[in-house]
Amino acid sequence: MDKQPYIVGVGAANADLNGASLAPIHLRDSNPGHISLSAGGVTRNVCENLARLGADVKLLSCVGDDTFGAFIRRSCEDAGIDAAHLYAARGASSSMYLSILDADGDMLVGMSDMRIVQQDMPEDYLPSKKALIQGADVVTCDPCMGEKTLLQLLDLCKPPQIVCVDPVSCAYARVVAPLIGRFHTAKPNRMELEILAGMEIRSDADLQRAGEVVLNKGLKRLFVSLGAEGCLYMDDTGKVLRRKLRPAKMVNASGAGDSFAAAMLYATLQGYDAEKTLDYGMAAGIAAVTHERTINPNMSVPLLESILQTYRL
């Protein structure tokens, strides 16, 4: 009997604390607002969206043996993620992300504490999961764990596995940049692509040239998120696509990139062509920004199809 294809996510799993102010913010003072707690972390969010789309997905990460660790684990299980392989670090605090939104819903300040995945994850944790990692058709990761763990993961993965990286931020893109040729797929934004390619992007011609630079390093596929301008797709066969959907009324911008990545990987697992893969990613972005939660609990293939019918230009 053929084994069922599955996806492994390796990276951040956080408790996200979000404060949204009800009025213009007064700094160095107490401000009335709504405060909410949710499970987050780039790779965990991608995994949750994948699980909601119906993929078999397993998460490798590190949580503390604290209340937040139990909350992260329970949130993963409730969403359909296989969280059995999470490592619980004794006496450590789970990683947290704190964000303060102004009265318009834009982030005023964010703060992340990712020490647990960088300091408390044992060196033999990923090697002990070698069979699980090597059995996956797709591996998705982020660089929040640090360069050493990222290198360890890349050494464990073997072609024809599709290993995808989300650079997360400009700071973390610098960790990814020297290793970019060892990944199959990357999903940077324009600023992160500048760091991966080592060049400024001032025009569409620059954008494409930067894409060529990273593909020439060995990357196979590149999805560059361009916000309201849609997405640029390039691959090692020379294919270049630029697509966007009709703009949607934004409720919460924070989960768009993670949902894009999940739908793109789901489509990849199904063997869809570049056009359909790109469309699924962009539809998932709309599903995210039009819902108040970071992850749309209604995420599903029928939802993506209905969004494409409504928003396709």
mmCIF file of all heavy atoms in Angstrom, residues 252-304:
data_model
loop_
_atom_site.group_PDB
_atom_site.id
_atom_site.type_symbol
_atom_site.label_atom_id
_atom_site.label_comp_id
_atom_site.label_asym_id
_atom_site.label_seq_id
_atom_site.Cartn_x
_atom_site.Cartn_y
_atom_site.Cartn_z
ATOM 1 N N ASN A 252 -7.896 42.239 8.837
ATOM 2 C CA ASN A 252 -6.702 41.940 9.632
ATOM 3 C C ASN A 252 -5.609 41.447 8.685
ATOM 4 O O ASN A 252 -5.760 40.412 8.046
ATOM 5 C CB ASN A 252 -7.056 40.861 10.675
ATOM 6 C CG ASN A 252 -5.850 40.373 11.455
ATOM 7 O OD1 ASN A 252 -4.750 40.905 11.331
ATOM 8 N ND2 ASN A 252 -6.046 39.352 12.256
ATOM 9 N N ALA A 253 -4.522 42.198 8.607
ATOM 10 C CA ALA A 253 -3.473 41.892 7.612
ATOM 11 C C ALA A 253 -2.497 40.815 8.072
ATOM 12 O O ALA A 253 -1.714 40.307 7.283
ATOM 13 C CB ALA A 253 -2.692 43.164 7.294
ATOM 14 N N SER A 254 -2.545 40.437 9.352
ATOM 15 C CA SER A 254 -1.409 39.704 9.910
ATOM 16 C C SER A 254 -1.227 38.274 9.398
ATOM 17 O O SER A 254 -0.134 37.742 9.460
ATOM 18 C CB SER A 254 -1.471 39.706 11.441
ATOM 19 O OG SER A 254 -2.680 39.136 11.879
ATOM 20 N N GLY A 255 -2.270 37.617 8.884
ATOM 21 C CA GLY A 255 -2.097 36.211 8.524
ATOM 22 C C GLY A 255 -1.957 35.906 7.047
ATOM 23 O O GLY A 255 -1.889 34.738 6.652
ATOM 24 N N ALA A 256 -1.901 36.956 6.215
ATOM 25 C CA ALA A 256 -1.959 36.742 4.759
ATOM 26 C C ALA A 256 -0.797 35.900 4.231
ATOM 27 O O ALA A 256 -0.993 34.980 3.435
ATOM 28 C CB ALA A 256 -2.013 38.083 4.045
ATOM 29 N N GLY A 257 0.419 36.202 4.663
ATOM 30 C CA GLY A 257 1.594 35.502 4.152
ATOM 31 C C GLY A 257 1.599 34.025 4.519
ATOM 32 O O GLY A 257 1.942 33.168 3.696
ATOM 33 N N ASP A 258 1.191 33.714 5.754
ATOM 34 C CA ASP A 258 1.183 32.322 6.208
ATOM 35 C C ASP A 258 0.123 31.509 5.466
ATOM 36 O O ASP A 258 0.339 30.342 5.129
ATOM 37 C CB ASP A 258 0.921 32.251 7.724
ATOM 38 C CG ASP A 258 1.980 32.996 8.529
ATOM 39 O OD1 ASP A 258 3.082 33.203 7.986
ATOM 40 O OD2 ASP A 258 1.710 33.375 9.678
ATOM 41 N N SER A 259 -1.043 32.130 5.210
ATOM 42 C CA SER A 259 -2.097 31.402 4.496
ATOM 43 C C SER A 259 -1.721 31.235 3.020
ATOM 44 O O SER A 259 -1.999 30.190 2.423
ATOM 45 C CB SER A 259 -3.448 32.096 4.648
ATOM 46 O OG SER A 259 -3.349 33.441 4.255
ATOM 47 N N PHE A 260 -1.068 32.250 2.430
ATOM 48 C CA PHE A 260 -0.575 32.129 1.051
ATOM 49 C C PHE A 260 0.359 30.918 0.949
ATOM 50 O O PHE A 260 0.216 30.073 0.075
ATOM 51 C CB PHE A 260 0.166 33.403 0.626
ATOM 52 C CG PHE A 260 0.740 33.336 -0.779
ATOM 53 C CD1 PHE A 260 0.108 33.986 -1.825
ATOM 54 C CD2 PHE A 260 1.901 32.622 -1.056
ATOM 55 C CE1 PHE A 260 0.616 33.909 -3.123
ATOM 56 C CE2 PHE A 260 2.412 32.526 -2.338
ATOM 57 C CZ PHE A 260 1.765 33.183 -3.382
ATOM 58 N N ALA A 261 1.323 30.850 1.863
ATOM 59 C CA ALA A 261 2.311 29.763 1.839
ATOM 60 C C ALA A 261 1.629 28.400 1.953
ATOM 61 O O ALA A 261 1.970 27.455 1.241
ATOM 62 C CB ALA A 261 3.321 29.943 2.970
ATOM 63 N N ALA A 262 0.634 28.303 2.852
ATOM 64 C CA ALA A 262 -0.052 27.028 3.058
ATOM 65 C C ALA A 262 -0.783 26.578 1.802
ATOM 66 O O ALA A 262 -0.670 25.419 1.389
ATOM 67 C CB ALA A 262 -1.038 27.161 4.224
ATOM 68 N N ALA A 263 -1.539 27.487 1.174
ATOM 69 C CA ALA A 263 -2.303 27.113 -0.016
ATOM 70 C C ALA A 263 -1.373 26.791 -1.181
ATOM 71 O O ALA A 263 -1.633 25.888 -1.977
ATOM 72 C CB ALA A 263 -3.269 28.234 -0.391
ATOM 73 N N MET A 264 -0.265 27.529 -1.267
ATOM 74 C CA MET A 264 0.739 27.258 -2.308
ATOM 75 C C MET A 264 1.327 25.844 -2.121
ATOM 76 O O MET A 264 1.498 25.092 -3.083
ATOM 77 C CB MET A 264 1.826 28.338 -2.232
ATOM 78 C CG MET A 264 3.011 28.127 -3.162
ATOM 79 S SD MET A 264 4.378 27.253 -2.355
ATOM 80 C CE MET A 264 5.046 28.531 -1.306
ATOM 81 N N LEU A 265 1.612 25.468 -0.868
ATOM 82 C CA LEU A 265 2.172 24.138 -0.600
ATOM 83 C C LEU A 265 1.118 23.043 -0.789
ATOM 84 O O LEU A 265 1.434 21.951 -1.261
ATOM 85 C CB LEU A 265 2.760 24.081 0.819
ATOM 86 C CG LEU A 265 4.010 24.950 1.031
ATOM 87 C CD1 LEU A 265 4.391 24.982 2.503
ATOM 88 C CD2 LEU A 265 5.187 24.453 0.194
ATOM 89 N N TYR A 266 -0.126 23.336 -0.419
ATOM 90 C CA TYR A 266 -1.211 22.378 -0.649
ATOM 91 C C TYR A 266 -1.342 22.092 -2.147
ATOM 92 O O TYR A 266 -1.418 20.932 -2.569
ATOM 93 C CB TYR A 266 -2.528 22.926 -0.094
ATOM 94 C CG TYR A 266 -3.712 22.046 -0.414
ATOM 95 C CD1 TYR A 266 -4.004 20.933 0.374
ATOM 96 C CD2 TYR A 266 -4.525 22.303 -1.524
ATOM 97 C CE1 TYR A 266 -5.068 20.101 0.070
ATOM 98 C CE2 TYR A 266 -5.590 21.478 -1.836
ATOM 99 C CZ TYR A 266 -5.862 20.385 -1.040
ATOM 100 O OH TYR A 266 -6.912 19.558 -1.356
ATOM 101 N N ALA A 267 -1.342 23.163 -2.951
ATOM 102 C CA ALA A 267 -1.452 23.015 -4.408
ATOM 103 C C ALA A 267 -0.249 22.253 -4.971
ATOM 104 O O ALA A 267 -0.380 21.439 -5.888
ATOM 105 C CB ALA A 267 -1.577 24.389 -5.065
ATOM 106 N N THR A 268 0.928 22.510 -4.400
ATOM 107 C CA THR A 268 2.149 21.798 -4.812
ATOM 108 C C THR A 268 2.006 20.301 -4.552
ATOM 109 O O THR A 268 2.340 19.470 -5.397
ATOM 110 C CB THR A 268 3.370 22.349 -4.040
ATOM 111 O OG1 THR A 268 3.527 23.738 -4.339
ATOM 112 C CG2 THR A 268 4.644 21.613 -4.406
ATOM 113 N N LEU A 269 1.491 19.955 -3.375
ATOM 114 C CA LEU A 269 1.295 18.552 -2.991
ATOM 115 C C LEU A 269 0.294 17.866 -3.928
ATOM 116 O O LEU A 269 0.411 16.677 -4.198
ATOM 117 C CB LEU A 269 0.798 18.490 -1.541
ATOM 118 C CG LEU A 269 1.028 17.201 -0.755
ATOM 119 C CD1 LEU A 269 2.511 16.872 -0.647
ATOM 120 C CD2 LEU A 269 0.426 17.294 0.631
ATOM 121 N N GLN A 270 -0.682 18.647 -4.429
ATOM 122 C CA GLN A 270 -1.677 18.096 -5.363
ATOM 123 C C GLN A 270 -1.139 17.997 -6.786
ATOM 124 O O GLN A 270 -1.797 17.451 -7.668
ATOM 125 C CB GLN A 270 -2.943 18.983 -5.376
ATOM 126 C CG GLN A 270 -3.615 19.194 -4.030
ATOM 127 C CD GLN A 270 -3.988 17.899 -3.334
ATOM 128 O OE1 GLN A 270 -4.561 17.001 -3.949
ATOM 129 N NE2 GLN A 270 -3.637 17.780 -2.061
ATOM 130 N N GLY A 271 0.058 18.580 -7.024
ATOM 131 C CA GLY A 271 0.649 18.531 -8.362
ATOM 132 C C GLY A 271 0.061 19.542 -9.337
ATOM 133 O O GLY A 271 0.140 19.377 -10.553
ATOM 134 N N TYR A 272 -0.535 20.626 -8.819
ATOM 135 C CA TYR A 272 -1.136 21.649 -9.685
ATOM 136 C C TYR A 272 -0.058 22.434 -10.426
ATOM 137 O O TYR A 272 1.086 22.534 -9.960
ATOM 138 C CB TYR A 272 -2.003 22.618 -8.866
ATOM 139 C CG TYR A 272 -3.222 21.983 -8.224
ATOM 140 C CD1 TYR A 272 -3.823 22.573 -7.114
ATOM 141 C CD2 TYR A 272 -3.772 20.804 -8.730
ATOM 142 C CE1 TYR A 272 -4.943 22.001 -6.512
ATOM 143 C CE2 TYR A 272 -4.884 20.229 -8.133
ATOM 144 C CZ TYR A 272 -5.468 20.824 -7.027
ATOM 145 O OH TYR A 272 -6.570 20.261 -6.435
ATOM 146 N N ASP A 273 -0.431 23.041 -11.559
ATOM 147 C CA ASP A 273 0.531 23.841 -12.328
ATOM 148 C C ASP A 273 0.788 25.179 -11.630
ATOM 149 O O ASP A 273 0.119 25.524 -10.641
ATOM 150 C CB ASP A 273 0.066 24.040 -13.780
ATOM 151 C CG ASP A 273 -1.245 24.821 -13.903
ATOM 152 O OD1 ASP A 273 -1.637 25.534 -12.937
ATOM 153 O OD2 ASP A 273 -1.888 24.740 -14.974
ATOM 154 N N ALA A 274 1.772 25.912 -12.152
ATOM 155 C CA ALA A 274 2.199 27.167 -11.504
ATOM 156 C C ALA A 274 1.049 28.170 -11.411
ATOM 157 O O ALA A 274 0.891 28.865 -10.395
ATOM 158 C CB ALA A 274 3.371 27.770 -12.269
ATOM 159 N N GLU A 275 0.220 28.255 -12.460
ATOM 160 C CA GLU A 275 -0.886 29.226 -12.469
ATOM 161 C C GLU A 275 -1.889 28.938 -11.355
ATOM 162 O O GLU A 275 -2.263 29.829 -10.590
ATOM 163 C CB GLU A 275 -1.613 29.213 -13.838
ATOM 164 C CG GLU A 275 -0.851 29.884 -14.961
ATOM 165 C CD GLU A 275 0.199 28.977 -15.623
ATOM 166 O OE1 GLU A 275 0.384 27.821 -15.190
ATOM 167 O OE2 GLU A 275 0.831 29.442 -16.582
ATOM 168 N N LYS A 276 -2.299 27.673 -11.267
ATOM 169 C CA LYS A 276 -3.299 27.309 -10.246
ATOM 170 C C LYS A 276 -2.706 27.412 -8.838
ATOM 171 O O LYS A 276 -3.389 27.817 -7.896
ATOM 172 C CB LYS A 276 -3.830 25.890 -10.504
ATOM 173 C CG LYS A 276 -5.008 25.523 -9.610
ATOM 174 C CD LYS A 276 -5.720 24.254 -10.055
ATOM 175 C CE LYS A 276 -6.919 23.981 -9.155
ATOM 176 N NZ LYS A 276 -7.668 22.775 -9.591
ATOM 177 N N THR A 277 -1.429 27.057 -8.707
ATOM 178 C CA THR A 277 -0.746 27.158 -7.411
ATOM 179 C C THR A 277 -0.714 28.614 -6.941
ATOM 180 O O THR A 277 -1.001 28.913 -5.773
ATOM 181 C CB THR A 277 0.694 26.594 -7.526
ATOM 182 O OG1 THR A 277 0.614 25.234 -7.931
ATOM 183 C CG2 THR A 277 1.437 26.685 -6.212
ATOM 184 N N LEU A 278 -0.403 29.507 -7.864
ATOM 185 C CA LEU A 278 -0.350 30.939 -7.553
ATOM 186 C C LEU A 278 -1.740 31.467 -7.196
ATOM 187 O O LEU A 278 -1.903 32.218 -6.225
ATOM 188 C CB LEU A 278 0.206 31.685 -8.767
ATOM 189 C CG LEU A 278 0.766 33.098 -8.597
ATOM 190 C CD1 LEU A 278 1.712 33.184 -7.420
ATOM 191 C CD2 LEU A 278 1.472 33.528 -9.874
ATOM 192 N N ASP A 279 -2.746 31.054 -7.951
ATOM 193 C CA ASP A 279 -4.123 31.483 -7.682
ATOM 194 C C ASP A 279 -4.590 31.010 -6.301
ATOM 195 O O ASP A 279 -5.219 31.766 -5.557
ATOM 196 C CB ASP A 279 -5.076 30.937 -8.758
ATOM 197 C CG ASP A 279 -5.025 31.757 -10.038
ATOM 198 O OD1 ASP A 279 -4.384 32.828 -10.035
ATOM 199 O OD2 ASP A 279 -5.627 31.327 -11.044
ATOM 200 N N TYR A 280 -4.270 29.766 -5.957
ATOM 201 C CA TYR A 280 -4.660 29.250 -4.639
ATOM 202 C C TYR A 280 -3.996 30.061 -3.521
ATOM 203 O O TYR A 280 -4.620 30.392 -2.520
ATOM 204 C CB TYR A 280 -4.283 27.764 -4.522
ATOM 205 C CG TYR A 280 -5.435 26.824 -4.803
ATOM 206 C CD1 TYR A 280 -6.292 27.057 -5.881
ATOM 207 C CD2 TYR A 280 -5.673 25.702 -4.013
ATOM 208 C CE1 TYR A 280 -7.351 26.204 -6.149
ATOM 209 C CE2 TYR A 280 -6.728 24.837 -4.278
ATOM 210 C CZ TYR A 280 -7.570 25.090 -5.340
ATOM 211 O OH TYR A 280 -8.617 24.239 -5.593
ATOM 212 N N GLY A 281 -2.714 30.383 -3.711
ATOM 213 C CA GLY A 281 -2.005 31.180 -2.713
ATOM 214 C C GLY A 281 -2.642 32.541 -2.512
ATOM 215 O O GLY A 281 -2.880 32.971 -1.377
ATOM 216 N N MET A 282 -2.956 33.214 -3.619
ATOM 217 C CA MET A 282 -3.546 34.560 -3.506
ATOM 218 C C MET A 282 -4.962 34.518 -2.942
ATOM 219 O O MET A 282 -5.349 35.387 -2.167
ATOM 220 C CB MET A 282 -3.503 35.255 -4.864
ATOM 221 C CG MET A 282 -2.077 35.627 -5.255
ATOM 222 S SD MET A 282 -2.000 36.707 -6.688
ATOM 223 C CE MET A 282 -2.766 35.680 -7.920
ATOM 224 N N ALA A 283 -5.728 33.490 -3.293
ATOM 225 C CA ALA A 283 -7.082 33.339 -2.739
ATOM 226 C C ALA A 283 -7.011 33.130 -1.227
ATOM 227 O O ALA A 283 -7.815 33.685 -0.471
ATOM 228 C CB ALA A 283 -7.796 32.167 -3.406
ATOM 229 N N ALA A 284 -6.020 32.361 -0.781
ATOM 230 C CA ALA A 284 -5.852 32.122 0.660
ATOM 231 C C ALA A 284 -5.470 33.413 1.383
ATOM 232 O O ALA A 284 -5.881 33.645 2.521
ATOM 233 C CB ALA A 284 -4.798 31.050 0.897
ATOM 234 N N GLY A 285 -4.686 34.268 0.706
ATOM 235 C CA GLY A 285 -4.349 35.574 1.280
ATOM 236 C C GLY A 285 -5.596 36.405 1.519
ATOM 237 O O GLY A 285 -5.739 37.052 2.570
ATOM 238 N N ILE A 286 -6.530 36.371 0.569
ATOM 239 C CA ILE A 286 -7.792 37.104 0.731
ATOM 240 C C ILE A 286 -8.636 36.481 1.848
ATOM 241 O O ILE A 286 -9.242 37.188 2.653
ATOM 242 C CB ILE A 286 -8.567 37.157 -0.608
ATOM 243 C CG1 ILE A 286 -7.881 38.173 -1.540
ATOM 244 C CG2 ILE A 286 -10.032 37.530 -0.404
ATOM 245 C CD1 ILE A 286 -8.522 38.339 -2.895
ATOM 246 N N ALA A 287 -8.641 35.145 1.916
ATOM 247 C CA ALA A 287 -9.372 34.469 3.000
ATOM 248 C C ALA A 287 -8.862 34.938 4.363
ATOM 249 O O ALA A 287 -9.637 35.101 5.314
ATOM 250 C CB ALA A 287 -9.217 32.953 2.878
ATOM 251 N N ALA A 288 -7.556 35.180 4.451
ATOM 252 C CA ALA A 288 -6.956 35.617 5.723
ATOM 253 C C ALA A 288 -7.294 37.069 6.053
ATOM 254 O O ALA A 288 -7.738 37.369 7.161
ATOM 255 C CB ALA A 288 -5.442 35.429 5.679
ATOM 256 N N VAL A 289 -7.089 37.977 5.099
ATOM 257 C CA VAL A 289 -7.240 39.409 5.420
ATOM 258 C C VAL A 289 -8.702 39.821 5.618
ATOM 259 O O VAL A 289 -8.973 40.849 6.231
ATOM 260 C CB VAL A 289 -6.583 40.336 4.358
ATOM 261 C CG1 VAL A 289 -5.104 40.059 4.235
ATOM 262 C CG2 VAL A 289 -7.284 40.258 3.008
ATOM 263 N N THR A 290 -9.643 39.003 5.121
ATOM 264 C CA THR A 290 -11.055 39.362 5.266
ATOM 265 C C THR A 290 -11.681 38.760 6.525
ATOM 266 O O THR A 290 -12.887 38.860 6.740
ATOM 267 C CB THR A 290 -11.872 38.910 4.030
ATOM 268 O OG1 THR A 290 -11.609 37.517 3.776
ATOM 269 C CG2 THR A 290 -11.489 39.721 2.795
ATOM 270 N N HIS A 291 -10.864 38.118 7.358
ATOM 271 C CA HIS A 291 -11.365 37.559 8.624
ATOM 272 C C HIS A 291 -10.632 38.211 9.784
ATOM 273 O O HIS A 291 -9.454 38.547 9.677
ATOM 274 C CB HIS A 291 -11.164 36.036 8.659
ATOM 275 C CG HIS A 291 -12.007 35.358 9.691
ATOM 276 N ND1 HIS A 291 -11.645 35.281 11.020
ATOM 277 C CD2 HIS A 291 -13.221 34.748 9.601
ATOM 278 C CE1 HIS A 291 -12.602 34.649 11.693
ATOM 279 N NE2 HIS A 291 -13.565 34.310 10.858
ATOM 280 N N GLU A 292 -11.337 38.389 10.911
ATOM 281 C CA GLU A 292 -10.719 39.100 12.052
ATOM 282 C C GLU A 292 -9.591 38.307 12.700
ATOM 283 O O GLU A 292 -8.657 38.886 13.264
ATOM 284 C CB GLU A 292 -11.787 39.440 13.100
ATOM 285 C CG GLU A 292 -12.467 38.220 13.674
ATOM 286 C CD GLU A 292 -13.706 38.548 14.518
ATOM 287 O OE1 GLU A 292 -14.185 39.691 14.445
ATOM 288 O OE2 GLU A 292 -14.157 37.653 15.238
ATOM 289 N N ARG A 293 -9.618 36.981 12.600
ATOM 290 C CA ARG A 293 -8.553 36.177 13.205
ATOM 291 C C ARG A 293 -7.370 36.051 12.247
ATOM 292 O O ARG A 293 -7.542 36.138 11.032
ATOM 293 C CB ARG A 293 -9.069 34.774 13.527
ATOM 294 C CG ARG A 293 -10.113 34.764 14.627
ATOM 295 C CD ARG A 293 -10.294 33.352 15.156
ATOM 296 N NE ARG A 293 -11.586 33.204 15.795
ATOM 297 C CZ ARG A 293 -12.162 32.041 16.046
ATOM 298 N NH1 ARG A 293 -11.554 30.924 15.690
ATOM 299 N NH2 ARG A 293 -13.327 31.977 16.639
ATOM 300 N N THR A 294 -6.187 35.811 12.799
ATOM 301 C CA THR A 294 -4.983 35.629 11.977
ATOM 302 C C THR A 294 -5.173 34.466 11.018
ATOM 303 O O THR A 294 -4.758 34.530 9.866
ATOM 304 C CB THR A 294 -3.755 35.377 12.880
ATOM 305 O OG1 THR A 294 -3.612 36.504 13.751
ATOM 306 C CG2 THR A 294 -2.487 35.215 12.079
ATOM 307 N N ILE A 295 -5.797 33.389 11.511
ATOM 308 C CA ILE A 295 -6.088 32.234 10.657
ATOM 309 C C ILE A 295 -7.594 32.108 10.518
ATOM 310 O O ILE A 295 -8.319 32.009 11.515
ATOM 311 C CB ILE A 295 -5.487 30.948 11.251
ATOM 312 C CG1 ILE A 295 -3.960 31.059 11.222
ATOM 313 C CG2 ILE A 295 -5.931 29.712 10.465
ATOM 314 C CD1 ILE A 295 -3.239 30.033 12.010
ATOM 315 N N ASN A 296 -8.059 32.140 9.280
ATOM 316 C CA ASN A 296 -9.488 32.022 9.017
ATOM 317 C C ASN A 296 -9.938 30.599 9.362
ATOM 318 O O ASN A 296 -9.484 29.640 8.743
ATOM 319 C CB ASN A 296 -9.755 32.327 7.540
ATOM 320 C CG ASN A 296 -11.242 32.406 7.221
ATOM 321 O OD1 ASN A 296 -12.054 31.754 7.860
ATOM 322 N ND2 ASN A 296 -11.573 33.204 6.227
ATOM 323 N N PRO A 297 -10.832 30.430 10.372
ATOM 324 C CA PRO A 297 -11.240 29.078 10.768
ATOM 325 C C PRO A 297 -12.038 28.358 9.682
ATOM 326 O O PRO A 297 -12.231 27.142 9.751
ATOM 327 C CB PRO A 297 -12.096 29.310 12.019
ATOM 328 C CG PRO A 297 -12.536 30.730 11.932
ATOM 329 C CD PRO A 297 -11.484 31.472 11.178
ATOM 330 N N ASN A 298 -12.497 29.110 8.670
ATOM 331 C CA ASN A 298 -13.260 28.517 7.562
ATOM 332 C C ASN A 298 -12.371 28.119 6.383
ATOM 333 O O ASN A 298 -12.880 27.744 5.325
ATOM 334 C CB ASN A 298 -14.329 29.500 7.072
ATOM 335 C CG ASN A 298 -15.180 30.032 8.215
ATOM 336 O OD1 ASN A 298 -15.681 29.255 9.012
ATOM 337 N ND2 ASN A 298 -15.310 31.343 8.329
ATOM 338 N N MET A 299 -11.046 28.237 6.553
ATOM 339 C CA MET A 299 -10.121 27.915 5.461
ATOM 340 C C MET A 299 -10.412 26.527 4.907
ATOM 341 O O MET A 299 -10.438 25.547 5.650
ATOM 342 C CB MET A 299 -8.678 28.002 5.968
ATOM 343 C CG MET A 299 -7.625 27.718 4.901
ATOM 344 S SD MET A 299 -7.612 28.929 3.573
ATOM 345 C CE MET A 299 -6.765 30.299 4.369
ATOM 346 N N SER A 300 -10.641 26.445 3.607
ATOM 347 C CA SER A 300 -10.946 25.165 2.957
ATOM 348 C C SER A 300 -10.773 25.341 1.457
ATOM 349 O O SER A 300 -10.724 26.472 0.955
ATOM 350 C CB SER A 300 -12.384 24.731 3.255
ATOM 351 O OG SER A 300 -13.296 25.666 2.675
ATOM 352 N N VAL A 301 -10.698 24.223 0.728
ATOM 353 C CA VAL A 301 -10.583 24.292 -0.732
ATOM 354 C C VAL A 301 -11.825 24.947 -1.355
ATOM 355 O O VAL A 301 -11.695 25.820 -2.217
ATOM 356 C CB VAL A 301 -10.294 22.891 -1.323
ATOM 357 C CG1 VAL A 301 -10.356 22.921 -2.841
ATOM 358 C CG2 VAL A 301 -8.914 22.405 -0.865
ATOM 359 N N PRO A 302 -13.064 24.594 -0.929
ATOM 360 C CA PRO A 302 -14.234 25.277 -1.494
ATOM 361 C C PRO A 302 -14.207 26.803 -1.266
ATOM 362 O O PRO A 302 -14.629 27.560 -2.142
ATOM 363 C CB PRO A 302 -15.420 24.635 -0.761
ATOM 364 C CG PRO A 302 -14.936 23.274 -0.366
ATOM 365 C CD PRO A 302 -13.471 23.453 -0.064
ATOM 366 N N LEU A 303 -13.690 27.234 -0.104
ATOM 367 C CA LEU A 303 -13.572 28.676 0.145
ATOM 368 C C LEU A 303 -12.617 29.312 -0.865
ATOM 369 O O LEU A 303 -12.904 30.386 -1.422
ATOM 370 C CB LEU A 303 -13.096 28.945 1.579
ATOM 371 C CG LEU A 303 -12.864 30.422 1.943
ATOM 372 C CD1 LEU A 303 -14.171 31.219 1.869
ATOM 373 C CD2 LEU A 303 -12.246 30.569 3.329
ATOM 374 N N LEU A 304 -11.470 28.677 -1.120
ATOM 375 C CA LEU A 304 -10.503 29.211 -2.091
ATOM 376 C C LEU A 304 -11.139 29.313 -3.476
ATOM 377 O O LEU A 304 -10.982 30.324 -4.170
ATOM 378 C CB LEU A 304 -9.244 28.336 -2.159
ATOM 379 C CG LEU A 304 -8.424 28.187 -0.868
ATOM 380 C CD1 LEU A 304 -7.142 27.409 -1.157
ATOM 381 C CD2 LEU A 304 -8.087 29.535 -0.254
#
